[in-house]
Short mmCIF file of all heavy atoms in Angstrom, two decimals:
data_model
loop_
_atom_site.label_atom_id
_atom_site.label_comp_id
_atom_site.label_asym_id
_atom_site.label_seq_id
_atom_site.Cartn_x
_atom_site.Cartn_y
_atom_site.Cartn_z
N GLY R 142 -5.21 2.21 13.18
CA GLY R 142 -4.67 2.83 12.00
C GLY R 142 -4.41 1.86 10.87
O GLY R 142 -4.82 0.69 10.93
N PHE R 143 -3.73 2.28 9.85
CA PHE R 143 -3.49 1.46 8.65
C PHE R 143 -2.68 0.23 8.93
O PHE R 143 -3.20 -0.93 8.81
CB PHE R 143 -2.85 2.39 7.58
CG PHE R 143 -2.19 1.69 6.47
CD1 PHE R 143 -2.83 0.66 5.75
CD2 PHE R 143 -0.85 1.99 6.12
CE1 PHE R 143 -2.21 0.08 4.68
CE2 PHE R 143 -0.22 1.36 5.04
CZ PHE R 143 -0.88 0.39 4.32
N ILE R 144 -1.47 0.36 9.41
CA ILE R 144 -0.61 -0.85 9.54
C ILE R 144 -1.06 -1.65 10.76
O ILE R 144 -1.15 -2.85 10.70
CB ILE R 144 0.87 -0.46 9.63
CG1 ILE R 144 1.28 0.36 8.41
CG2 ILE R 144 1.73 -1.74 9.69
CD1 ILE R 144 2.71 0.88 8.48
N ASP R 166 -5.80 2.89 21.38
CA ASP R 166 -5.75 3.83 20.30
C ASP R 166 -6.61 5.02 20.73
O ASP R 166 -7.64 4.90 21.30
CB ASP R 166 -6.34 3.25 19.00
CG ASP R 166 -5.93 3.98 17.77
OD1 ASP R 166 -6.27 5.19 17.69
OD2 ASP R 166 -5.35 3.36 16.86
N ALA R 167 -6.07 6.24 20.40
CA ALA R 167 -6.80 7.46 20.74
C ALA R 167 -7.89 7.80 19.71
O ALA R 167 -8.61 8.72 19.96
CB ALA R 167 -5.79 8.64 20.89
N THR R 169 -7.58 9.19 16.62
CA THR R 169 -7.41 10.47 15.97
C THR R 169 -8.08 10.35 14.63
O THR R 169 -8.66 9.32 14.24
CB THR R 169 -5.89 10.79 15.76
OG1 THR R 169 -5.41 9.82 14.80
CG2 THR R 169 -5.13 10.65 17.07
N ASP R 192 -4.99 7.77 25.07
CA ASP R 192 -3.96 8.45 24.46
C ASP R 192 -2.61 7.87 25.00
O ASP R 192 -2.50 7.76 26.24
CB ASP R 192 -4.08 9.95 24.85
CG ASP R 192 -3.05 10.83 24.21
OD1 ASP R 192 -1.98 10.39 23.88
OD2 ASP R 192 -3.35 12.02 24.06
N ILE R 193 -1.64 7.58 24.21
CA ILE R 193 -0.39 7.03 24.71
C ILE R 193 0.40 7.99 25.54
O ILE R 193 1.31 7.61 26.31
CB ILE R 193 0.48 6.44 23.62
CG1 ILE R 193 0.84 7.46 22.51
CG2 ILE R 193 -0.10 5.10 23.04
CD1 ILE R 193 2.00 7.04 21.64
N PHE R 214 2.79 0.93 17.41
CA PHE R 214 2.62 1.60 16.08
C PHE R 214 2.14 3.06 16.27
O PHE R 214 2.38 3.88 15.39
CB PHE R 214 1.42 0.96 15.33
CG PHE R 214 1.64 -0.45 14.86
CD1 PHE R 214 1.09 -1.54 15.56
CD2 PHE R 214 2.33 -0.71 13.69
CE1 PHE R 214 1.25 -2.82 15.08
CE2 PHE R 214 2.49 -2.00 13.21
CZ PHE R 214 1.95 -3.07 13.93
N SER R 218 1.63 10.07 11.50
CA SER R 218 2.39 9.41 10.50
C SER R 218 2.54 10.13 9.14
O SER R 218 3.27 9.67 8.26
CB SER R 218 1.79 8.06 10.19
OG SER R 218 0.56 8.18 9.55
N SER R 266 9.19 1.66 13.38
CA SER R 266 9.69 2.96 12.89
C SER R 266 9.83 2.93 11.37
O SER R 266 9.38 1.96 10.70
CB SER R 266 10.98 3.36 13.60
OG SER R 266 11.25 4.71 13.26
N TYR R 293 8.24 15.10 10.92
CA TYR R 293 7.74 13.71 11.17
C TYR R 293 9.00 12.79 11.39
O TYR R 293 9.13 12.09 12.38
CB TYR R 293 6.96 13.16 9.97
CG TYR R 293 6.82 11.67 9.96
CD1 TYR R 293 6.10 10.98 10.95
CD2 TYR R 293 7.50 10.90 8.97
CE1 TYR R 293 6.01 9.61 10.93
CE2 TYR R 293 7.44 9.54 9.03
CZ TYR R 293 6.67 8.84 9.93
OH TYR R 293 6.61 7.49 9.97
N LYS R 297 10.29 10.71 14.68
CA LYS R 297 10.46 9.22 14.71
C LYS R 297 11.93 8.91 15.12
O LYS R 297 12.18 7.97 15.84
CB LYS R 297 10.11 8.62 13.39
CG LYS R 297 8.62 8.64 12.98
CD LYS R 297 7.74 7.82 13.96
CE LYS R 297 7.94 6.39 13.83
NZ LYS R 297 6.88 5.62 14.62
N ASN R 323 4.60 1.60 3.02
CA ASN R 323 3.60 0.52 2.95
C ASN R 323 2.40 0.94 2.09
O ASN R 323 2.07 2.12 1.98
CB ASN R 323 3.02 0.25 4.37
CG ASN R 323 3.96 -0.52 5.26
OD1 ASN R 323 3.51 -1.33 6.08
ND2 ASN R 323 5.24 -0.27 5.16
P1 NAD Q 102 -1.73 5.72 10.79
O1 NAD Q 102 -1.62 7.18 10.80
O2 NAD Q 102 -2.57 5.08 9.81
O3 NAD Q 102 -2.23 5.22 12.23
C1 NAD Q 102 -1.79 5.77 13.43
C2 NAD Q 102 -2.65 5.26 14.51
O4 NAD Q 102 -2.19 5.80 15.76
C3 NAD Q 102 -4.12 5.70 14.42
O5 NAD Q 102 -5.02 4.67 14.72
C4 NAD Q 102 -4.25 6.79 15.49
O6 NAD Q 102 -5.58 6.99 15.99
C5 NAD Q 102 -3.29 6.32 16.54
N1 NAD Q 102 -2.75 7.43 17.39
C6 NAD Q 102 -2.23 8.59 16.95
N2 NAD Q 102 -1.94 9.39 17.97
C7 NAD Q 102 -2.22 8.59 19.08
C8 NAD Q 102 -2.07 8.84 20.50
N3 NAD Q 102 -1.57 9.99 20.97
N4 NAD Q 102 -2.44 7.87 21.28
C9 NAD Q 102 -2.96 6.70 20.88
N5 NAD Q 102 -3.12 6.46 19.57
C10 NAD Q 102 -2.74 7.38 18.69
O7 NAD Q 102 -0.24 5.24 10.73
P2 NAD Q 102 0.39 3.97 9.95
O8 NAD Q 102 0.64 4.33 8.56
O9 NAD Q 102 -0.40 2.82 10.27
O10 NAD Q 102 1.83 3.86 10.70
C11 NAD Q 102 1.91 3.09 11.87
C12 NAD Q 102 3.34 3.17 12.40
O11 NAD Q 102 4.23 2.66 11.40
C13 NAD Q 102 3.79 4.59 12.70
O12 NAD Q 102 4.66 4.55 13.84
C14 NAD Q 102 4.63 4.99 11.49
O13 NAD Q 102 5.62 5.90 11.84
C15 NAD Q 102 5.24 3.65 11.11
N6 NAD Q 102 5.53 3.45 9.65
C16 NAD Q 102 4.60 3.73 8.70
C17 NAD Q 102 4.87 3.47 7.34
C18 NAD Q 102 3.88 3.72 6.28
O14 NAD Q 102 4.19 3.61 5.08
N7 NAD Q 102 2.63 4.00 6.58
C19 NAD Q 102 6.12 2.97 6.99
C20 NAD Q 102 7.08 2.73 7.99
C21 NAD Q 102 6.78 2.95 9.34
#
Side-chain angles (χ1 to χ4, degrees):
F143 162 52
I144 305 176
D166 198 301
T169 68
D192 185 332
I193 56 164
F214 293 101
S218 69
S266 192
Y293 162 70
K297 291 297 290 188
N323 285 215

